Each structure stands twice: as C-alpha cells, then as structure tokens.
Amino acid sequence: MNKVFKSHGMLSLSIVLVLIWSLTAMARAGSPFHVAEEDAKLLVPQLVRKYGYPVEKHQVRTEDGYLLGMFRIPGGRNGTVPGRRPILMMHSWFSSCADWVVIGPGNALGYLLADRGYDIWMGNVRGNRYSRRHERLRVKSRAFWDFSLDEIGYYDVPAMINYVLNRTNARKLHYVGFSQGTIVGLIALTSRPQYNEKIVQLQELSPAIYVYRNPSVIMRTLAFMAKSLAEGYTLFGSFELMSHWTGQYEFYRMLCPSPKQLICRMLIYEVSGENAKQLDAKMLRIFLGHAPAGSSVKQFLHYAQLINDGVFRRYDYEDDRANVAAYGSKQVPRYNLSHVTAPVRTYYGRNDHVVNFRNVKRLERELPNVVSSYLVPDERFGHADFILNKNVKKVVYDEVMRNVEKAEREIG
C-alpha cells in the first residue's frame, strides 16, 4: 500500500512540476519583455542606467532659445565602446525618447543599436517633458508654446544634428525617426537642404508625412473639430496639450485595469490599428507611464491640417494677413520633398491607421532617393506596433539594423 501511495505521490508531484514548468514557459512565451512595473515611473536616464547601460544627459540650445534635453547611450551593456557613427533617434508625437528604450534590453531599438557599437543620441522636441526650458520664456507663457511642426523641424532637428556632430567629431550621422520623428526630419532637410550632407541615411518608421486616408473615426473627428477645440482650450489660458503629470501611471492603471484594459486598448486600436495578440498588457501600462509627454495646441492644429488637407506644407494661420506676415504670401508654402537628397529607407504596416500604406507609396514617389521600401510581414501591424509589438525586433528592428550596418559599410 505504501509503495502504491508513494508511486501515486511521486506521479502527482511530477505532474505538478510539469504543470508549473509549462505555465512558466507559457508566461515567458507570452511576453518577451523583461521589464518591471516600476519602469513606468522612471525617467529615461534612470531607465537606461537600471538596465546596465551607460547614459549621459545633454542640453541643446536652438537658435530661437529653446533648451532641449538629449540623452546619449555611449556604449552597450556588454561594455561595447562606440566604434561606429552616431545615430540620432527622434520620437513620435505626444511622446519622448522613451520610445526607443521602454520595451527593454534585447528588444528596444536604442539598446540593440548600442550593443552593436553605435553611439546613440536620443532627442526630445520642444514642449515634451524633457524639453520644457527656454533662455527667456516662461514655460507657462503663450509665447513658449507658439510652435508647430515647422519650428521643430527647422530649429530643433538641425540643432541636435549640429550638437551630436560637434561632440563626436563625426562628419555624418544616421537618422532614425518614428512617426513625428520622420516628419520633423524631412522638414529639416527640405527647409535646410545643406543638412542632407550630414546624414548617412534616414530610417523612416511609419513615415507620417501624408496622414489623410485615415480610417480612425477619433482622429478624423478631432481633426474636423480641431479649431473649435483649440479655441476652447486656449480660452482658459492653456496652450499646452496632453502634458506629462506625476500621477499619470496610476490614473491609466485605474482607468484600464488588467487583464482586459478595455478602454485603453479600444483607444489604441481605434487610433493606431488593432493587433491584439501582439500588445502586451504589462507593456501597455508601462508605456502609459511615459506617454503622453506633452505637445503644443498649435502642433495639434498643424496635424489636423495635414489630415484634413492631405498636403505636406507649413502651418496655415487660416488668415490672409497672418499668412502674408509669416510667409510673404496668402498661399501657405509646401515643403519640397525633392530637396531631400539623403538616402531614405521606409518601413510601414498594412494595418497602420495613422499612416495608410498608400500614403507611404505617395511619399516614396515624391522623394528622389528612396533606397528601399519595407512592408512589415504582419498583416495586422499597426502604428503603435512600431514601438510596442511583442515581435517588433524580428519583424522590424532586425531589418533596420541590417540596413544601418549596410549603410555604415558602404560609406566606409
């Protein structure tokens, strides 16, 4: 009897151990991200340092007096010393340079490139949580927030390019942009064509130059109502939109409790494109601790014009006298994409609600030097997937790294 009992006991124990191992394996398979909830509350330098990478804080002054925060990862976690050209990485709208590190080591593009010997410089545009200073203007003043995508592209991007090249003694750098990061990069190169000579190659992830053909009901409605919304917002003396705040993580965690996170998922799917199987619940919570990170109301109006008009041009004051004062003409100048002579590689998703794949094709026809066009091999791949997808390393970042390394070899 004892032998039978022991036999059954051993069998039961074995089954329990197998079940535990299986569940653990399933959990690991379910999320490839080795990150912690506390990451939602850490600043980017704290986040980078936590995972064993070196990090430097830099402040870049623009010609019009804004003081921008930049963070540098000057080497890999394994002690890799940068031996290759610097890479300037520019984030999306309402976000920050957290885009490049939030999904953690082994997955985030900033870390992956640092581990391969690249000198990583992560920019933050004026108005986000890391770039809220000016030499003369108070952050609460209307004048501080009087900027659109035009100023970010004309002032911020060139200032950061100059700063990185001066600090590293490099002649050229690689440029990686996601969404808004692609817009402001191309604004810089169209409005200051001499900067094309400072770029090895542009890696344009979900290039948001043309954002009409937008299937998102929320985005189209906001764009249609943008002027009224902006007037209502500024009526109360606020010219900033969706700023970062201390209780942000706790608020979104309460609004979207796990495991379903219904409200947050519905919003992301509607605006970005649904890819439910590839959105990790914990990663979504952590990301919402970093974004939104701040923007100007005028920036929002500029985006609305791009959606409504389908034209890549400067900010329209919708007033003849104001346009004449700003541009010398009632007609708002278009950005001439033929001035972008630096090599460009595009990456786009079939299910991207923000950047319709047909808009990417239009952009490619208008750029004079597109060297490759990459359709992500996932039919459900949407806009947010470029930084949050469980499989993003395999389906996007590996291709980006191959292309960066190819460009590095070719330039010698």
Side-chain angles (χ1 to χ4, degrees):
M1 190 72 175
N2 286 339
K3 288 182 180 180
V4 173
F5 179 79
K6 287 179 180 179
S7 176
H8 281 286
M10 290 299 292
L11 181 60
S12 300
L13 179 60
S14 298
I15 291 172
V16 170
L17 290 173
V18 168
L19 283 171
I20 292 172
W21 179 88
S22 299
L23 289 170
T24 304
M26 286 171 63
R28 287 174 180 168
S31 176
F33 305 125
H34 305 291
V35 292
E37 291 283 347
E38 69 170 21
D39 293 2
K41 299 181 180 182
L42 298 180
L43 297 172
V44 165
Q46 296 171 321
L47 200 59
V48 175
R49 198 174 294 114
K50 171 187 172 179
Y51 288 107
Y53 287 82
V55 62
E56 297 174 2
K57 301 179 188 179
H58 294 262
Q59 182 173 271
V60 180
R61 181 194 177 278
T62 67
E63 292 173 42
D64 58 346
Y66 284 83
L67 303 174
L68 312 175
M70 283 190 81
F71 304 121
R72 181 190 191 188
I73 305 178
R77 183 167 56 166
N78 54 8
T80 306
V81 177
R84 297 173 170 181
R85 285 176 180 80
I87 299 180
L88 175 59
M89 307 185 77
M90 294 301 297
H91 60 82
S92 56
W93 186 32
F94 281 137
S95 195
S96 72
C97 67
D99 282 357
W100 307 115
V101 294
V102 72
I103 60 176
N107 291 290
L109 188 56
Y111 294 138
L112 293 169
L113 289 166
D115 285 335
R116 282 159 178 76
Y118 290 97
D119 189 359
I120 304 303
W121 294 78
M122 301 183 294
N124 290 284
V125 305
R126 61 184 63 193
N128 87 2
R129 65 185 299 200
Y130 299 110
S131 297
R132 296 171 60 83
R133 297 185 60 204
H134 192 281
E135 286 186 325
R136 303 175 305 279
L137 303 175
R138 295 181 300 105
V139 73
K140 296 287 187 181
S141 69
R142 180 173 194 152
F144 181 94
W145 296 100
D146 186 20
F147 62 83
S148 67
L149 293 166
D150 295 333
E151 287 76 19
I152 296 172
Y154 188 82
Y155 292 113
D156 294 10
V157 174
M160 287 186 270
I161 291 172
N162 289 337
Y163 186 90
V164 171
L165 295 181
N166 288 337
R167 287 297 300 254
T168 60
N169 294 317
R171 191 172 63 86
K172 292 188 174 188
L173 54 75
H174 298 273
Y175 185 97
V176 178
F178 166 52
S179 193
Q180 178 183 265
T182 69
I183 303 176
V184 297
L186 294 188
I187 287 176
L189 299 186
T190 56
S191 57
R192 299 192 178 198
Q194 67 271 27
Y195 277 82
N196 284 278
E197 297 302 315
K198 301 184 180 189
I199 305 294
V200 177
Q201 201 169 89
L202 294 101
Q203 311 293 327
E204 302 281 83
L205 279 60
S206 191
I209 312 309
Y210 294 115
V211 283
Y212 65 105
R213 296 192 183 107
N214 194 310
S216 168
V217 175
I218 291 176
M219 292 287 284
R220 293 201 311 271
T221 302
L222 288 174
F224 178 75
M225 299 176 60
K227 191 172 182 180
S228 299
L229 291 171
E231 287 173 353
Y233 212 77
T234 56
L235 185 65
F236 295 97
S238 179
F239 312 100
E240 178 183 6
L241 194 65
M242 302 290 281
S243 60
H244 188 275
W245 52 291
T246 306
Q248 187 165 299
Y249 168 68
E250 285 81 5
F251 171 77
Y252 285 114
R253 187 165 187 176
M254 179 184 66
L255 182 68
C256 306
S258 290
K260 293 185 178 180
Q261 301 174 309
L262 286 178
I263 295 175
C264 291
R265 283 179 178 268
M266 285 172 58
L267 287 172
I268 286 180
Y269 295 159
E270 217 292 314
V271 172
S272 169
E274 182 178 349
N275 196 2
K277 291 182 179 179
Q278 294 297 329
L279 183 61
D280 182 74
K282 183 168 73 171
M283 197 67 256
L284 176 57
R285 293 195 300 272
I286 293 170
F287 176 72
L288 290 172
H290 293 273
S295 171
S296 74
V297 171
K298 191 174 179 181
Q299 205 173 331
F300 162 60
L301 286 171
H302 199 173
Y303 268 109
Q305 292 170 7
L306 295 177
I307 293 171
N308 292 330
D309 302 336
V311 180
F312 184 41
R313 63 181 178 183
R314 298 189 66 179
Y315 179 80
D316 186 355
Y317 288 90
E318 299 183 356
D319 178 89
D320 287 347
R321 286 179 296 178
N323 282 338
V324 169
Y327 311 124
S329 170
K330 295 178 183 179
Q331 289 292 111
V332 180
R334 296 190 179 201
Y335 285 109
N336 189 345
L337 289 167
S338 68
H339 291 161
V340 183
T341 56
V344 176
R345 293 185 185 272
T346 63
Y347 306 79
Y348 61 99
R350 180 73 68 176
N351 190 41
D352 190 330
H353 282 195
V354 178
V355 183
N356 186 282
F357 69 93
R358 289 174 293 173
N359 290 344
V360 178
K361 292 300 159 187
R362 175 184 172 182
L363 171 66
E364 291 172 353
R365 289 192 297 270
E366 296 180 13
L367 288 169
N369 197 7
V370 176
V371 293
S372 72
S373 172
Y374 180 77
L375 173 61
V376 180
D378 175 354
E379 285 293 318
R380 302 302 306 165
F381 204 86
H383 198 67
D385 286 315
F386 279 94
I387 51 172
L388 292 177
N389 188 287
K390 292 179 183 180
N391 208 26
V392 67
K393 176 186 179 296
K394 181 180 178 181
V395 298
V396 179
Y397 294 166
D398 283 349
E399 180 71 11
V400 173
M401 289 186 287
R402 279 191 292 269
N403 289 332
V404 169
E405 292 185 349
K406 183 179 180 183
E408 184 79 358
R409 288 194 303 270
E410 288 174 349
I411 199 169

